[in-house]
Each structure stands twice: as C-alpha cells, then as structure tokens.
Amino acid sequence: MKNGFSFLIVLVCSLYFGQQTTFKFDFGGNRVEKGFISITSTSKFDKKIGYGFMDISGLKSVDNGGNALIGDFITSDKPFYFSVVLPEGNYDIKLNLGDTKGSSETTVRVENRRLMLNDVRTKQGEVVEKQITVHVKDSIIRNQNGEKIGIVKLKPRERKYLHWDNLLTIEFNDKAPKVCSVIIQPNKTAKTIYLTGDSTVVDAQYEPWASWGQMLPYFFIPNEVVIANYAESGETLKAFEDRHRIDKVWNKIKPGDYLFIQFGHNDQKAGNSTKSGYRKRLKEWIQKAKQLGAIPVLVTSMNRRVFDENNNIVNTLDDFPDAMREIAKEEKVDLIDLNALSKTLFEAMGPEAAKKVFVYYPANAYPNQPNALADDTHFNPYGAYELAKCVVKSIVDQNLPLKKYISKIEKNFNPNKPDAVEKFHWLESIFMESLKPDGN
C-alpha cells in the first residue's frame, strides 16, 4: 500500500509540473523492488493510472523467490502488450528478461510491430538486461515553445494505429517470453533517423503486411540512434505535404538528425511523372533539411515482383529511380539505391521463390480472407527484413557516417545470397488483417 501511495504522490506531482517521462516497473508477483511500481498479471491498462496491459487474459505471474526485481516475472503463451502514457519524444528502455529457475525466449516489438529485439534466449537460471531506444509520437505539430501550431491529417485507418495514440506500447512475443522489469527514461541525445515514404516504408500494424522501415531499428545500436518512422501507406511527396506530415518532421528534426526520403510507387500513378513536381519537391525537401542542419538521404523505391521471360526484373517505376539518382548527384547527398539492391535480391530468388518475400498466401490464411492474397508490391515480415538488410548493406558498403551506429548483427548481408526463409524468426502478432494497404 505504501508503494502505491508513494507513486500516487509522484503521479500527481508529475501531472502538475508536466507529464511523467520516467518509470520503473517491477513485473511479477507481489514482492516489489524499492522505488519500482508493481506490475502483476492483473494490471490491466487504465488511462487514469497511465500504464498496464492491453489484455490480461492468459497472463501469468511467476515468483521464484530471491531478488525482488529479477526473482519474478510475467509470462504468457500468447503475445502480450504493455502500454504507458508518455509524451512525444525519444526514450531508452531497459528490460530484464529471463527466469532464475528456467529458460526463456523473448522477442520485443514496439508500437506497430517495430522490431527491437529478436529471439532473445536465456539459459537455465539466467536473466539478461537489454536496452532499446524508441521514438514515441503524436499527431500534434508544435513550435519550439511546445505550443500547438497544427496537426497531421490522419487517415481513418491510422486512428487505430498504436503509434498515434499518445502511448508507448511494447509487444512481448515468442515461445517463452519472460519479463522481470521495464525501466523507461528520456533520451535527449540520440541521433534521430526520420523515415518518410509510403506503404513499403510504413510501420504496418497488421500481419501479414510489413515494411523495411519497421525492421530497421533492430540493426542500430540503442542509445545512440533512434528510428522515427513517419511514412504512411498510399502517400506521394505531394500528399505528404498536403497532410502536413512533413511539417511535423520539420518542427521536430534537429541538427545532426537524418531524413530518409523514399517515394515513387504512388507518385507514378494517376499519370504523374517525375516532371510534375516530383523533382521540385525532392530538391525543396533536401534544401530544407540542410537548412535545419539535418542530413538528407535519398532511397530509391524497390522493384515490384515483375519478371520477364529471362527471369530478370522488369522496371515498373518509369524514370522515378533514375530521377532520384540524378538529384542525389546534383544536390550532393547520399543515396541508398534500394531499387538496384532489390533487383539483385529478387533475381537471386527467381520468380517463384520471390513470392516468399511478398504477400502471397492461400485463402483463409488470415481472418476474413476468403480469397488468396497475391500482391507483387507489398512485403511480408521476411521480405521486409531482407530489404532492411539491403538498406544496412548500402550504409556499410558506402561507408556512410551512420555505419558506426550499426550493430554487428548480420553486417555482411549479400543480396545475391538471400537468407533462407525457413531460418527467419518471426512469431506473428495478434493484429491481423487481409485488407491490403493503400497504394500499389
């Protein structure tokens, strides 16, 4: 009771002086580490309190005795989600994962299935501390004084997303996820990589859809770099401006941050060409980023799964990739040629095997899906992961400054030799939808 009362005082004070940004959660039974907030299997999310599990069904508290912090944990036989009310910003999250009397296997994703830790296994009796760095966002555009000056025009489907909801949501998944503690604190120093783009970049909420943008955080060293994904399905450069998505970025980006720009798939539709504002807008974004002290990086759009009779990829993106390559040279900015890398990747697989990176599934593979899914533009988690590795490879091969922030995980990827799909580790989240994203 005393711990709860103390926390209430802290919460009231924090609401009075500004929203709380630091939390220490002790997951498990009723024994609580000093200075920590107790989280048990019945701690259902309550907006008034500001934290809790999205769904408590199937949760189990286990107490092995011993150390109050790591001697107990929360586990479940299905993915479980823990949410915390947090103001927009970057946060370091320390996690104690494991079991002092058993083994564990945990994957951690945040918000819309953004991959942070994959298949963390602990041996019998082992508890490990892991750290991730997460960007939390809302749809309000603020000036330097924090005053509201506008809002991002969200699409109806975005209102269900877990990344515009003024919460940090952590997904714990895998065969034996065991969580002992979660510590959250602001990170004011990490370089932020802002991602702008379409459905091939967006943090997709629903299985089986995925993008390289939501896999990218896994490859960067936490604390030093954080990925802020502002991409959205169906967007063109013009739509990104019209909905004030880029205004949101301009009002947040700091000197030394990065702006990744990947558009083309949707820009080519409806009769658009590279001469109908595409080049002009790209150059304006590059110049604006530079004015703000940020570093723009252009990313060419990856290919679709369209092969000719010789099993070579056919360019279906008109001159958009070439236009971006030319602008990178003209403006003297770095270019990640994902268009070329994806061509190598898909041709190494061949027409049939390449279906394994796209959304190709038989009827009734997902809820409310009476017809087979056969999408040659959008990717499943395996495909998204392989494309993220292509992005990482380009950073490493070009020796870009970001290279020093890439973790050692699979640094030597070769798109001529794709990873075997059977070895890709991905247990599905609970959110599933057969409806394809906007754009094509």
Side-chain angles (χ1 to χ4, degrees):
M1 188 70 189
K2 187 178 176 184
N3 274 342
F5 181 68
S6 300
F7 172 66
L8 233 106
I9 293 172
V10 171
L11 183 61
V12 170
C13 290
S14 68
L15 290 172
Y16 184 78
F17 292 110
Q19 205 172 335
Q20 188 171 352
T21 57
T22 300
F23 290 89
K24 292 181 173 182
F25 297 109
D26 184 350
F27 281 40
N30 294 318
R31 295 185 307 118
V32 186
E33 180 78 1
K34 186 178 179 182
F36 280 67
I37 301 164
S38 175
I39 300 295
T40 70
S41 58
T42 60
S43 299
K44 188 169 174 59
F45 179 77
D46 182 338
K47 197 134 194 175
K48 291 177 184 175
I49 298 174
Y51 56 83
F53 292 107
M54 188 184 292
D55 177 11
I56 59 172
S57 65
L59 290 180
K60 186 179 176 186
S61 294
V62 177
D63 192 341
N64 292 328
N67 185 285
L69 189 64
I70 64 170
D72 55 355
F73 57 85
I74 299 284
T75 188
S76 179
D77 58 3
K78 64 180 182 179
F80 56 101
Y81 297 77
F82 185 75
S83 296
V84 185
V85 176
L86 279 177
E88 185 173 74
N90 295 333
Y91 294 88
D92 287 332
I93 303 171
K94 286 183 182 174
L95 304 160
N96 273 314
L97 307 172
D99 180 351
T100 57
K101 289 189 177 178
S103 58
S104 72
E105 189 172 343
T106 310
T107 287
V108 178
R109 304 174 195 140
V110 298
E111 308 288 70
N112 274 12
R113 296 160 63 236
R114 202 181 311 157
L115 183 62
M116 308 305 292
L117 299 170
N118 199 27
D119 196 19
V120 177
R121 301 188 185 201
T122 62
K123 301 190 291 284
Q124 189 81 8
E126 182 185 19
V127 175
V128 297
E129 183 181 277
K130 294 289 183 179
Q131 182 172 306
I132 60 176
T133 302
V134 177
H135 180 77
V136 177
K137 66 185 179 187
D138 60 31
S139 58
I140 298 169
I141 302 169
R142 301 173 179 84
N143 63 17
Q144 297 301 313
N145 299 321
E147 299 160 335
K148 179 179 175 180
I149 57 171
I151 194 161
V152 176
K153 294 179 181 176
L154 301 179
K155 297 179 179 181
R157 67 182 288 160
E158 287 182 90
R159 301 189 184 281
K160 297 178 185 177
Y161 288 177
L162 298 180
H163 62 207
W164 292 116
D165 57 0
N166 302 107
L167 301 174
L168 164 67
T169 298
I170 308 172
E171 172 192 337
F172 297 104
N173 202 327
D174 228 309
K175 294 167 188 169
K178 297 178 180 180
V179 186
C180 303
S181 69
V182 175
I183 299 173
I184 301 169
Q185 56 189 23
N187 181 323
K188 303 288 188 184
T189 60
K191 286 184 183 298
T192 304
I193 300 175
Y194 290 89
L195 305 183
T196 62
D198 51 35
S199 56
T200 60
V201 187
V202 70
D203 284 348
Q205 178 164 352
Y206 301 102
E207 304 283 359
W209 315 91
S211 80
W212 66 261
Q214 69 195 114
M215 302 296 176
L216 201 60
Y218 178 64
F219 298 97
F220 281 89
I221 297 168
N223 185 254
E224 303 280 354
V225 168
V226 63
I227 307 298
N229 195 343
Y230 282 77
E232 175 50 30
S233 301
E235 297 295 71
T236 62
L237 274 166
K238 183 178 186 302
F240 217 83
E241 290 182 358
D242 292 346
R243 292 182 177 273
H244 305 298
R245 299 185 194 278
I246 195 61
D247 293 330
K248 172 76 174 175
V249 174
W250 295 144
N251 281 274
K252 288 195 64 61
I253 204 163
K254 305 184 304 296
D257 287 344
Y258 284 78
L259 177 69
F260 279 34
I261 306 167
Q262 186 213 280
F263 288 92
H265 278 94
N266 300 310
D267 301 76
Q268 73 164 163
K269 293 190 309 185
N272 286 348
S273 74
T274 57
K275 296 177 179 65
S276 61
Y278 182 81
R279 288 173 180 267
K280 178 174 177 286
R281 286 191 175 87
L282 259 187
K283 290 190 174 190
E284 287 172 352
W285 285 29
I286 289 167
Q287 287 156 14
K288 176 82 170 180
K290 288 179 175 178
Q291 285 168 11
L292 295 170
I295 303 154
V297 177
L298 301 186
V299 185
T300 56
S301 296
M302 72 290 291
N303 282 281
R304 298 181 175 94
R305 194 196 72 89
V306 179
F307 287 82
D308 65 16
E309 65 278 5
N310 297 314
N311 292 341
N312 294 318
I313 284 287
V314 176
N315 173 39
T316 63
L317 287 154
D318 301 327
D319 62 341
F320 281 89
D322 280 339
M324 191 170 264
R325 292 176 186 118
E326 289 164 12
I327 289 167
K329 286 180 182 175
E330 290 167 13
E331 299 295 322
K332 296 180 172 58
V333 297
D334 291 324
L335 175 87
I336 293 172
D337 200 344
L338 194 51
N339 181 265
L341 286 161
S342 64
K343 175 178 166 67
T344 300
L345 181 73
F346 302 157
E347 288 179 353
M349 293 176 168
E352 195 58 33
K355 289 179 181 178
K356 293 177 181 178
V357 307
F358 289 87
V359 175
Y360 267 78
Y361 295 93
N364 302 310
Y366 290 91
N368 305 311
Q369 185 225 327
N371 302 313
L373 294 173
D375 190 314
D376 291 316
T377 299
H378 298 106
F379 303 92
N380 60 23
Y382 164 67
Y385 188 81
E386 295 295 281
L387 287 168
K389 290 175 88 169
C390 287
V391 172
V392 170
K393 176 181 173 56
S394 183
I395 292 169
V396 172
D397 286 356
Q398 295 186 78
N399 204 27
L400 301 186
L402 276 174
K403 176 182 175 180
K404 65 181 176 183
Y405 301 112
I406 291 173
S407 65
K408 293 178 181 175
I409 305 164
E410 303 182 69
K411 225 173 190 177
N412 302 315
F413 177 65
N414 182 356
N416 276 302
K417 296 178 180 177
D419 298 318
V421 65
E422 297 80 15
K423 292 183 178 179
F424 176 62
H425 186 86
W426 184 272
L427 276 75
E428 291 187 317
S429 300
I430 62 169
F431 299 101
M432 298 179 180
E433 184 178 270
S434 57
L435 181 69
K436 89 174 188 66
D438 294 341
N440 190 19

